[in-house]
Amino acid sequence: MISKSALLKVILLGDGGVGKSSLMNRYVTNKFDSHLFHTIGVEFLNKELDVDGHHATLQIWDTAGQERFRSLRTPFYRGSDCCLLTFSVDDGQSFRNLANWKKEFTYYADVKDPDNFPFVVLGNKLDVPERQVSGEDARQWCRENGGHPYFETSAKDATNVASAFEEAVRRILALDDRADHLIHNNTVDLQRKSHPDPSCC
Amino acid sequence: MAANCVQKVLFELEGVFIHPSSDEDGIEPDLLVSGTLRIVDKEAEVFVEYRPLEEAVDPSNMLCAGKDSSSVMEWDQCSGEKSKSLIETQQSYETEWDMINAVSFKKKTFTNGDGCVNPSQERSRWAFSVSVGELRCVTLKVEGWSFLLLTLKEARSQLPTLHFHQGGSTQFLDSLRRVTLLSPSPEDETCLLVSTPNRALSQSFENLLDDNNFGLVNQKFRKDPYVTTLGGFSKVTNYIFDAFRGTEEQHQRPPEEVADLLSEVIPGLEINQQEEPGFEVITRMDLGPRPEVSRRPPLSAEDWTKHQDPEGRMTSISKLKKLIFKGGLCHAVRKEAWKFLLGYFPWDSTLEQRKVLQRDKTLRDYRSLIEKDVNRTDRTNRFYEGMDNPGLVLLHDILMTYCMYDFDLGESTELLLLGGMSDLLSPILYVMENEVDAFWCFVSFMDQMHQNFEEQMQGMKTQLIQLSTLLRLLDLTFWNYLESQDSGYLYFCFRWLLIRFKRELSFQDVLRLWEVMWTGLPCQNFHLLVCCSILDSEKQKIMEENYGFNEILKHINELSMKLDVEEILQKAEGISQQIQSCKDLPPSISSILGLEPDLCGSDPTHSGASPPLRPRPPLRRPDTRTSTSTSTSNGLLRASSAHNGCTVAFSS
Ligand SMILES: Nc1nc2c(ncn2[C@@H]2O[C@H](COP(=O)(O)OP(=O)(O)OP(=O)(O)O)[C@@H](O)[C@H]2O)c(=O)[nH]1
Ligand SMILES: [Mg+2]
């Protein structure tokens, strides 16, 4: 898809309640709701990004993590450019389920080359004091499962949220065969941490 | 790429004959060609192939009506660790299916698009390979032996008749049925129309139907290895997402195929064309104009009390319900009226009886429930931590109590917080301002709704099918459009149906919609007509903008909080009148809406004077759990303060 504005599809997966919707809302609308209802099915929001003078649209797909809704989310995996595997650092089970999520994604998205597919792992709810998953455990898992980048985030106080999504973009663009997302330039400087204009589609 | 082309043989039968003489002039009359018939899954497409026995067929000479089959299916060719997990999941079917080593087939692979008929190649002239998607129909005839005629959609070439002198035609058709839908043609019973279902959707539907296991290996996979092969799957997903990316031509699928698709994936719920010729009728039915109806102002407290006799019995109930249906209730009336509408209070009970009932509920049933030990997981406990909103604590207490009450929902605490159940409770709690009343009203509401939340989601399946049936009747053009975008089974209405529009409307509008629906007027399943009403309003936009699969979902999701409940209800009522005034309604429609021919026009729920008393059912399984503790930490014993008013604020 070569066009002026590349459309990058990023999908958030992880157990119910780990904070996927909160992360998306934080990133796109810069809001946080401490009592969100569980997502039913899938929802998506677009977020415009400027990358080295090129315009990209991030299409963020938020899915229902609860097992009951599996059949409603899996048809939408296909076509993803990056998958954000999310757990909550105060919930050991959600961390142990990462492997299942990755498997489910790889299967239903029908990823051609899973070894090189960009996954980014997010340990959310960093602000919660009682951790069940240490950063070291998480990093180790990422190392052993394909060298995925790992981010500890808090949707609540906005820690690292933008960086995580930006890393997703960076990973997508780093893939050689995706170079055509941006017309001339596939080295992207996304270090800018500032995040001044969240825009909702 | 050719060396990587992986194929799976789904069916193979030797000794299938072609009688060249009967197909073509100028051939030795007695020539019989014997060969092997196969159904082969090539990466993403399924082919029916025939190869004469003696001849080594060069595939480049085959008649290949299919599209590209040169791309690689990664999973199967990988070795070692790379795709280990996937291969593991596939091992079990390798024994079930005769997977022939791809090497024997590799040779030259087809090239994209150009490897078609080459009639000059005599030696392989009887060989063919045709994509199942290219088949129009399969005709089975029996005259001494069975023979099959495969007809292509595009009559660019005729395929030879296949003669099953040694049997096997049934097995062939059975195998073909695994990869496609075969439905008898109305004109000719021996002719089976071939339609290629969208496997992603049917897969997805199947998951909805019978798949509750986490992980990739589950029973369904073992039952039907074919649909789980990645080749098959990639095709479907391609189908959907290519459409999204604009590279796929639009597929128009006739409604009858969809009915088949639905009935195939949802056994027992099928829209049966044979038994209900109504299906055909539906597609052509003219409903006549939709009447304009008007809404009324909500019922005031004064009006409500006018409908009570001195002992507190409600009077002229059907008239009362009609008023509520037409205008809803003023907020002041809700706290009392909802208890009637939901069946917690019998309409003909006296004030005195209701007091007793409420006291009994409070003291006996609810107490016995809440004193059971509530098994909370760590996760749930954490949910309460730092929870500063008393309304939310209350909400979750009630939900948890409910889950003890209704064990059908399973005992997993995740279900307590299952997306949706809190949506259904919060408006009730908000109106009741009281834990015990809210609980019992919620129980009544869940009596109508709990099928939606059961393990199998039976309620959801049923409703989606019913809605699809109604929409076809009301607006076949629109339904066909949706179907052409793979949205004919209306998955995007899932949330509407699961929680009765709770997230689509503002909180106040939800209250209005629900009380109107609870009157049971003007017909059964009125909420489905509410769906039709919303869809009717969005139709133009969706079709004009030519929205595809994803865009339809996005558009519908984004209607949330932008809908006007009065407008929706007005149109929905109009639709109901339009349907009810129709003379020859197909039976499927009448039964969805509960329109018995003789009752048509009258109140379909209860007629007038003596509405049925609906006493609360006894607790379903009050003693199945041993009470290991009566201390329920997080305020479940608040029942004793049941009449405390509680101000509840929800974020919805
Ligand atoms: N303290 C804290 N709470 C969070 C954070 N992110 C989300 N939450 C809370 O965790 C709960 C669940 O968050 P959601 O965003 O709804 O979780 P989800 O992953 O979308 O869940 P599903 O939709 O069921 O798959 C909500 O009450 C959020 O307010 C966070 O970073 N810190
Ligand atoms: Mg969510």
Side-chain angles (χ1 to χ4, degrees):
Chain A
M1 287 179 85
I2 298 176
S3 64
K4 278 215 181 95
S5 175
L7 184 68
L8 308 179
K9 173 172 172 179
V10 169
I11 191 160
L12 280 158
L13 298 185
D15 279 11
V18 298
K20 298 179 296 300
S21 304
S22 304
L23 285 163
M24 177 173 80
N25 289 341
R26 169 60 77 192
Y27 185 54
V28 178
T29 66
N30 203 17
K31 290 198 185 102
F32 177 75
D33 183 338
S34 57
H35 300 294
L36 263 192
F37 281 112
H38 284 288
T39 304
I40 296 171
V42 295
E43 291 166 17
F44 60 94
L45 291 178
N46 289 352
K47 164 97 181 168
E48 310 277 320
L49 281 183
D50 273 324
V51 181
D52 276 2
H54 293 281
H55 202 57
T57 305
L58 205 52
Q59 188 174 70
I60 304 168
W61 288 61
D62 175 33
T63 60
Q66 287 178 312
E67 179 50 21
R68 189 71 47 107
F69 298 129
R70 168 135 76 107
S71 57
L72 290 171
R73 62 178 182 252
T74 51
F76 297 90
Y77 293 2
R78 176 94 188 182
S80 303
D81 295 301
C82 179
C83 174
L84 302 181
L85 297 169
T86 312
F87 70 97
S88 163
V89 295
D90 69 336
D91 179 357
Q93 191 54 48
S94 72
F95 174 65
R96 289 186 286 280
N97 279 339
L98 282 185
N100 286 328
W101 283 107
K102 190 176 171 185
K103 218 175 358 168
E104 181 177 297
F105 175 79
T106 315
Y107 183 78
Y108 285 98
D110 191 23
V111 173
K112 287 283 182 288
D113 183 6
D115 283 352
N116 291 312
F117 187 86
F119 288 95
V120 176
V121 176
L122 311 186
N124 189 41
K125 304 201 190 178
L126 184 61
D127 59 284
V128 179
E130 304 83 18
R131 283 183 76 128
Q132 288 189 1
V133 185
S134 72
E136 196 29 60
D137 285 352
R139 266 181 276 277
Q140 186 183 345
W141 189 88
C142 292
R143 267 197 308 278
E144 288 168 1
N145 287 274
H148 309 314
Y150 174 61
F151 285 82
E152 300 204 330
T153 59
S154 165
K156 189 174 179 182
D157 51 29
T159 312
N160 260 341
V161 177
S163 332
F165 282 99
E166 285 163 7
E167 176 66 15
V169 174
R170 192 180 299 125
R171 291 276 157 161
I172 297 169
L173 297 175
L175 280 185
D176 286 343
D177 60 332
R178 300 307 303 249
D180 60 353
H181 273 298
L182 295 179
I183 295 165
H184 289 305
N185 203 339
N186 63 1
T187 52
V188 184
D189 178 16
L190 283 172
Q191 303 296 15
R192 293 165 294 129
K193 286 274 153 39
S194 67
H195 193 55
D197 53 10
S199 64
C200 180
C201 50
Chain B
M1 296 298 258
N4 291 327
C5 183
V6 173
Q7 314 188 13
K8 287 194 185 113
V9 175
L10 308 177
F11 173 83
E12 182 173 42
L13 180 67
E14 289 176 10
V16 178
F17 291 83
I18 290 176
H19 297 190
S21 56
S22 55
D23 289 305
E24 209 173 319
D25 293 333
I27 304 279
E28 293 171 50
D30 290 330
L31 176 65
L32 284 190
V33 176
S34 170
T36 305
L37 181 66
R38 293 191 179 89
I39 301 177
V40 187
D41 185 5
K42 291 179 183 176
E43 181 259 335
E45 241 182 317
V46 181
F47 290 79
V48 176
E49 290 187 343
Y50 179 80
R51 301 200 307 155
L53 201 57
E54 306 82 4
E55 309 182 62
V57 176
D58 181 344
S60 64
N61 294 328
M62 286 185 180
L63 168 71
C64 71
K67 291 183 224 127
D68 166 32
S69 39
S70 63
S71 54
V72 181
M73 200 170 98
E74 288 281 344
W75 304 118
D76 282 332
Q77 48 138 359
C78 298
S79 55
E81 292 299 306
K82 202 174 175 189
S83 58
K84 200 165 161 233
S85 57
L86 281 145
I87 288 185
E88 268 163 16
T89 64
Q90 288 185 355
Q91 262 161 9
S92 54
Y93 4 111
E94 279 182 47
T95 50
E96 290 182 49
W97 290 97
D98 182 16
M99 287 189 176
I100 291 202
N101 188 336
V103 179
S104 65
F105 267 99
K106 277 173 195 163
K107 303 182 178 176
K108 271 185 259 167
T109 192
F110 308 134
T111 47
N112 292 0
D114 61 1
C116 284
V117 198
N118 188 348
S120 65
Q121 296 282 333
E122 187 63 29
R123 52 199 290 259
S124 59
R125 65 180 300 187
W126 309 118
F128 66 80
S129 171
V130 57
S131 161
V132 168
E134 296 291 306
L135 290 174
R136 179 191 305 286
C137 62
V138 180
T139 311
L140 177 65
K141 294 239 155 68
V142 183
E143 282 175 26
W145 60 84
S146 310
F147 54 93
L148 271 178
L149 193 63
L150 304 174
T151 312
L152 294 174
K153 284 186 178 139
E154 287 175 58
R156 54 178 135 159
S157 177
Q158 168 131 39
L159 295 175
T161 306
L162 300 170
H163 296 264
F164 292 79
H165 294 291
Q166 297 163 12
S169 59
T170 319
Q171 288 86 332
F172 171 75
L173 288 178
D174 286 346
S175 297
L176 198 56
R177 275 194 187 93
R178 286 182 215 277
V179 297
T180 188
L181 290 172
L182 300 179
S183 45
S185 142
E187 292 92 38
D188 179 4
E189 270 186 15
T190 65
C191 174
L192 301 168
L193 300 170
V194 178
S195 43
T196 316
N198 180 322
R199 272 187 235 128
L201 296 185
S202 63
Q203 174 95 10
S204 160
F205 236 120
E206 280 174 50
N207 287 345
L208 179 60
L209 303 189
D210 57 26
D211 173 4
N212 299 290
N213 310 321
F214 192 74
L216 295 171
V217 186
N218 61 43
Q219 289 186 325
K220 178 175 59 59
F221 283 16
R222 266 168 250 131
K223 259 187 289 171
D224 190 352
Y226 180 73
V227 291
T228 66
T229 61
L230 291 160
F233 207 76
S234 67
K235 169 168 183 176
V236 276
T237 43
N238 267 330
Y239 184 83
I240 295 180
F241 288 98
D242 284 350
F244 171 47
R245 295 183 165 226
T247 58
E248 176 94 8
E249 72 276 31
Q250 285 185 7
H251 287 233
Q252 291 283 346
R253 195 172 304 131
E256 57 270 22
E257 285 182 24
V258 175
D260 281 348
L261 176 58
L262 286 175
S263 65
E264 187 185 67
V265 299
I266 309 178
L269 291 169
E270 60 264 47
I271 303 153
N272 191 323
Q273 290 169 255
Q274 274 69 49
E275 281 169 25
E276 285 179 15
F279 193 86
E280 266 303 299
V281 178
I282 288 176
T283 63
R284 285 190 229 109
M285 194 133 108
D286 183 13
L287 274 179
R290 181 176 306 160
E292 280 289 323
V293 297
S294 53
R295 303 268 311 151
R296 290 211 201 146
L299 191 83
S300 67
E302 202 182 327
D303 288 335
W304 176 259
T305 30
K306 271 193 210 144
H307 281 83
Q308 269 179 359
D309 75 7
E311 269 94 57
R313 288 185 201 86
M314 301 309 297
T315 56
S316 44
I317 293 143
S318 62
K319 189 167 154 251
L320 181 62
K321 282 189 186 167
K322 203 150 182 209
L323 289 172
I324 299 172
F325 173 74
K326 289 300 273 184
L329 297 160
C330 281
H331 192 68
V333 189
R334 284 189 174 128
K335 195 193 282 202
E336 184 168 340
W338 277 26
K339 294 175 186 134
F340 290 92
L341 286 168
L342 281 166
Y344 175 30
F345 288 172
W347 290 94
D348 63 351
S349 58
T350 62
L351 194 60
E352 199 49 40
Q353 288 169 325
R354 294 200 289 271
K355 277 190 181 140
V356 172
L357 186 141
Q358 256 176 314
R359 197 185 57 221
D360 285 357
K361 291 291 184 204
T362 309
L363 294 182
R364 203 184 57 234
D365 298 346
Y366 194 72
R367 247 330 233 290
S368 72
L369 279 169
I370 60 164
E371 285 175 2
K372 308 264 182 211
D373 182 37
V374 177
N375 175 24
R376 288 183 176 157
T377 63
D378 293 347
R379 191 184 293 223
T380 320
N381 268 326
R382 282 202 315 282
F383 201 94
Y384 281 85
E385 264 166 33
M387 203 185 258
D388 45 359
N389 183 335
L392 250 140
V393 175
L394 200 49
L395 184 91
H396 286 89
D397 285 349
I398 295 176
L399 276 182
M400 233 171 283
T401 313
Y402 180 75
C403 286
M404 304 200 49
Y405 174 81
D406 189 347
F407 281 79
D408 291 346
L409 293 168
E411 302 191 26
S412 150
T413 33
E414 189 184 16
L415 298 184
L416 293 173
L417 310 172
L418 178 69
M421 267 172 51
S422 43
D423 291 86
L424 295 184
L425 175 57
S426 61
I428 291 177
L429 187 53
Y430 169 80
V431 165
M432 293 301 149
E433 299 179 300
N434 163 314
E435 183 173 2
V436 179
D437 287 342
F439 176 77
W440 290 111
C441 285
F442 180 63
V443 167
S444 297
F445 191 23
M446 284 302 288
D447 281 351
Q448 304 168 35
M449 302 296 291
H450 83 292
Q451 279 199 321
N452 286 2
F453 296 92
E454 277 170 7
E455 206 78 356
Q456 301 300 316
M457 293 196 146
Q458 188 60 38
M460 293 307 302
K461 296 170 219 167
T462 311
Q463 290 181 77
L464 283 169
I465 290 171
Q466 290 175 333
L467 181 56
S468 190
T469 308
L470 285 168
L471 192 64
R472 273 198 305 265
L473 169 78
L474 289 166
D475 197 338
L476 187 63
T477 316
F478 184 42
W479 187 84
N480 278 336
Y481 176 81
L482 293 173
E483 176 50 25
S484 75
Q485 304 302 323
D486 287 312
S487 302
Y489 78 115
L490 311 175
Y491 64 90
F492 49 79
C493 298
F494 189 94
R495 192 173 70 192
W496 298 1
L497 296 170
L498 184 75
I499 48 173
R500 294 280 155 99
F501 308 97
K502 166 63 172 51
R503 297 197 195 169
E504 319 311 318
L505 301 169
S506 71
F507 200 76
Q508 289 305 319
D509 280 2
V510 169
L511 308 182
R512 173 59 36 81
L513 179 74
W514 285 7
E515 64 207 9
V516 167
M517 287 190 314
W518 291 334
T519 62
L521 296 174
C523 60
Q524 192 179 291
N525 282 318
F526 181 63
H527 67 282
L528 297 177
L529 298 181
V530 171
C531 294
C532 293
S533 155
I534 302 174
L535 290 174
D536 187 76
S537 306
E538 301 311 317
K539 162 193 173 179
Q540 199 185 353
K541 173 98 176 159
I542 290 172
M543 288 179 68
E544 269 174 11
E545 308 273 325
N546 200 22
Y547 283 158
F549 186 72
N550 290 286
E551 291 153 315
I552 294 172
L553 174 75
K554 188 171 166 68
H555 180 73
I556 297 288
N557 275 348
E558 286 173 356
L559 293 177
S560 178
M561 300 298 147
K562 290 180 198 144
L563 297 163
D564 174 357
V565 72
E566 292 299 326
E567 216 171 87
I568 294 167
L569 284 170
Q570 191 178 353
K571 190 180 273 189
E573 188 187 352
I575 293 172
S576 86
Q577 290 183 11
Q578 188 186 14
I579 294 179
Q580 292 190 35
S581 63
C582 175
K583 286 281 172 296
D584 306 300
L585 270 187
S588 56
I589 301 286
S590 321
S591 82
I592 292 169
L593 300 181
L595 306 170
E596 293 306 320
D598 45 331
L599 290 177
C600 211
S602 71
D603 176 350
T605 45
H606 336 290
S607 41
S610 57
L613 254 177
R614 198 160 75 110
R616 289 295 326 145
L619 291 180
R620 283 163 219 182
R621 297 176 196 82
D623 292 313
T624 46
R625 279 187 174 196
T626 36
S627 178
T628 55
S629 162
T630 50
S631 72
T632 52
S633 49
N634 287 300
L636 274 179
L637 284 173
R638 205 177 305 100
S640 50
S641 59
H643 296 286
N644 287 352
C646 174
T647 317
V648 189
F650 295 103
S651 49
S652 54

